[in-house]
Amino acid sequence: MVDARILHTTAALREAILRLAADRPVSEITVADVTRAAGINRATFYSHAVSPGSLLADVLTPELDRIRQDDADERRAAADRGAGDDELAAITRRGINAVVEHVTTHRDIYGKALPDPNDASLHRLLVEHFTVSSALHIRELDPAHRPDLLDDVAAGFVAQGFVGAIEAWLAGPRRSRKALVETITLSFPAWWS
């Protein structure tokens, strides 16, 4: 059983970093800011994270991991059923929509963190996450329909494009989530589904 104090500290750190990162870029958040907002000391902070950027990444990663797992589960079930292209395209759209929902939920955070030239922790988090997700997806493609490509290069290409689309959407004038999902969906390579 996890100690109640650890659960309380973890929740306090989570709340503090989300609140602080919604107000200013991660590079402007100090450990002292986080400890003050969470009501903890520096030693406790460092037993949970190495920096405010790493703490924020640790808080956001489980949400992205759930999206990846849900997508993989859906794709496996669809493959077991012998799903057609339309169903696979719908799964892709749902996965993209889930990521966009995550970004929208944390819009203030991503809107400040992604263009921050002094801390690229969230940019790296998203690129790394989508690269791993893309590589897993590429490995699961039907060999009969899979083009001859370098898996790591293709995964990096898709991941960088996905993050670039999110950054452009956040930096531009307010546009609908639906338009972002549609644009990303149409931008994916034809062989993706």
Side-chain angles (χ1 to χ4, degrees):
M1 180 183 293
V2 178
D3 188 323
R5 291 173 297 179
I6 293 172
L7 293 175
H8 174 75
T9 299
T10 302
L13 283 166
R14 181 186 193 319
E15 182 183 319
I17 195 64
L18 289 174
R19 190 169 4 100
L20 291 166
D23 289 337
R24 60 186 182 268
V26 179
S27 63
E28 296 176 14
I29 301 171
T30 65
V31 171
D33 294 332
V34 177
T35 59
R36 194 170 27 264
I40 61 168
N41 62 44
R42 289 179 79 79
T44 301
F45 174 88
Y46 285 116
S47 70
H48 289 267
V50 296
S51 70
S54 72
L55 175 62
L56 183 57
D58 289 346
V59 167
L60 296 174
T61 295
E63 291 179 28
L64 292 166
D65 288 346
R66 272 191 303 281
I67 294 167
R68 177 193 295 149
Q69 188 60 54
D70 290 348
D71 183 73
D73 292 346
E74 248 193 291
R75 286 185 184 284
R76 258 186 236 94
D80 291 346
R81 288 191 304 277
D85 289 346
D86 288 345
E87 186 177 351
L88 293 172
I91 292 169
T92 295
R93 181 178 290 280
R94 281 193 294 278
I96 293 167
N97 193 60
V99 169
V100 170
E101 177 64 31
H102 164 82
V103 169
T104 303
T105 298
H106 302 291
R107 181 184 197 114
D108 291 339
I109 293 169
Y110 283 113
K112 289 172 183 61
L114 289 176
D116 184 358
N118 298 313
D119 186 311
S121 55
L122 282 195
H123 180 88
R124 280 191 311 273
L125 164 78
L126 289 179
V127 168
E128 187 175 305
H129 184 83
F130 297 140
T131 299
V132 169
S133 298
S134 297
L136 291 171
H137 175 74
I138 290 166
R139 277 199 298 273
E140 297 291 323
L141 289 173
D142 179 357
H145 296 77
R146 186 183 180 282
D148 186 23
L149 46 78
L150 301 172
D151 291 4
D152 59 333
V153 174
F157 178 81
V158 170
Q160 292 283 354
F162 204 149
V163 175
I166 290 168
E167 286 180 308
W169 182 71
L170 289 170
R174 281 275 187 173
R175 293 168 282 191
S176 74
R177 259 187 47 197
K178 182 179 177 184
L180 175 61
V181 170
E182 186 65 22
T183 300
I184 293 172
T185 301
L186 291 171
S187 299
F188 265 80
W191 50 262
W192 187 261
S193 293

